[in-house]
Amino acid sequence: MPETIGDRLVRGDKGSFLDGLGNAAGAVVGGFYRIGGTRALKDALHGTWPLRHPLHPAVTDAVVGGYTIVALLDVVYLVTGDAALFRATDIALVASLIFSLGALASGLTDWNETYGNERRLGVLHGTLMLLISVGYLISLWLRVGGGSRDAAIGLGLACWVLLGITSYLGGEMSFGFGTGVDRLAWSEVGADWETLELRADGLEERKVVRARMSNGFALAVVKLDGAVRAIGAVCTHASGPLDEGELVGADGCDVKCPWHGSVFSFRSGSARHGPATMDEPAFETRVAADGRVEVKLRS
């Protein structure tokens, strides 16, 4: 398989030059989210609530689309010389810059939960996007501040070309490293009741254990106030083992992933806190005549 741009830049130790910048940025982002009262903002920027879907790709679509409109209008002006296009172009550029703030904030929030070469590629992608934003800000200043319109257009078109390369790197994050992808997207679970090799009377109250279905699908199982609860054991964010997590929440019925701190409800499987945005599959449970736990995917 041929190497991608991302592979050549960050494979092995090739991307180690990015670690210093990544450590500095991670300290700032991580430090900010340790401030009390920022958890709701973090969840919103991940997309855990209220979107229940990764926010960053949705915002970047608006950014890339907006900058492309600016580039197209600039090209039309260069061909036709129609100055009536200026107002529409400037409005599109301002709107794109506003959306870019959301893209940068959500991207940094998601990126801070990555590691290794995935994190290094994210540093490169984010740094280039920041430079592009600065370039477009200068272009806007030239357009509305009485500077050279031709210089502003030239800078804007150069930024748009760089945007294409940077967007490719963003795609490599998602499709090459799986950043933001539901880790259970390809899992299959039957619709019928299945008996586990796990006895209900062997479960300790509020002690999470791992069990497997016949197809190998992993479950996190716990007894809560005498009732057996079961959800998927693999965190939808980055495959962390939920059966090794701690029970949290006001009623102690949520589980916190030990890797990145995502929180899921044992009652419904829903993602309570990010970075995870996708819910865990939740299962109905019952106890068979021989005392073993039976589960069925909740419809």
Side-chain angles (χ1 to χ4, degrees):
M1 180 179 293
E3 287 186 323
T4 66
I5 295 175
D7 291 332
R8 293 177 184 146
L9 289 171
V10 303
R11 188 183 62 178
D13 292 330
K14 291 182 179 179
S16 59
F17 68 95
L18 296 165
D19 290 343
L21 181 57
N23 291 338
V28 172
V29 177
F32 173 77
Y33 284 124
R34 283 192 288 273
I35 298 173
T38 59
R39 188 61 184 266
L41 176 62
K42 187 174 188 290
D43 287 342
L45 289 173
H46 281 309
T48 307
W49 183 92
L51 199 59
R52 310 202 71 77
H53 180 281
L55 174 65
H56 184 65
V59 181
T60 55
D61 282 352
V63 174
V64 174
Y67 287 149
T68 300
I69 290 173
V70 171
L72 289 173
L73 290 174
D74 279 341
V75 170
V76 172
Y77 164 71
L78 292 175
V79 172
T80 65
D82 185 0
L85 295 169
F86 290 172
R87 183 176 180 83
T89 307
D90 295 348
I91 291 174
L93 181 51
V94 170
S96 300
L97 284 166
I98 292 172
F99 275 111
S100 73
L101 296 176
L104 287 169
S106 59
L108 280 170
T109 302
D110 289 344
W111 165 83
N112 200 46
E113 310 294 348
T114 61
Y115 60 93
N117 284 341
E118 176 187 11
R119 189 173 184 83
R120 290 171 172 173
L121 186 59
V123 171
L124 182 62
H125 169 69
T127 300
L128 290 176
M129 281 305 304
L130 182 59
L131 290 175
I132 288 168
S133 298
V134 172
Y136 273 118
L137 273 172
I138 295 173
S139 178
L140 178 63
W141 177 74
L142 290 172
R143 294 167 194 264
V144 302
S148 170
R149 190 82 188 188
D150 289 343
I153 291 174
L155 178 58
L157 291 175
C159 287
W160 184 78
V161 172
L162 184 58
L163 177 67
I165 298 172
T166 309
S167 297
Y168 174 91
L169 297 179
E172 182 73 5
M173 292 283 292
S174 294
F175 301 111
F177 288 99
T179 307
V181 175
D182 182 356
R183 300 307 168 115
L184 297 179
W186 292 272
S187 300
E188 295 184 3
V189 181
D192 298 326
W193 285 97
E194 181 170 333
T195 304
L196 304 177
E197 295 298 325
L198 184 71
R199 293 185 59 84
D201 57 12
L203 293 173
E204 298 180 28
E205 182 71 22
R206 299 188 177 275
K207 179 177 176 57
V208 185
V209 299
R210 174 174 288 231
R212 289 193 179 274
M213 303 180 72
S214 59
N215 66 352
F217 187 85
L219 298 172
V221 183
V222 68
K223 183 184 290 185
L224 297 174
D225 300 325
V228 178
R229 307 278 183 179
I231 61 175
V234 176
C235 179
T236 57
H237 168 245
S239 302
L242 297 184
D243 53 292
E244 297 178 14
E246 62 175 314
L247 293 177
V248 295
D251 57 1
C253 293
D254 299 334
V255 61
K256 182 178 180 180
C257 178
W259 285 9
H260 300 105
S262 296
V263 176
F264 299 90
S265 168
F266 255 116
R267 298 185 187 277
S268 64
S270 61
R272 299 288 199 192
H273 297 294
T277 60
M278 304 296 181
D279 297 340
E280 287 288 334
F283 294 79
E284 298 178 37
T285 65
R286 67 186 184 187
V287 180
D290 63 359
R292 290 190 295 174
V293 176
E294 294 184 332
V295 296
K296 176 182 178 183
L297 185 65
R298 188 175 299 167
S299 57

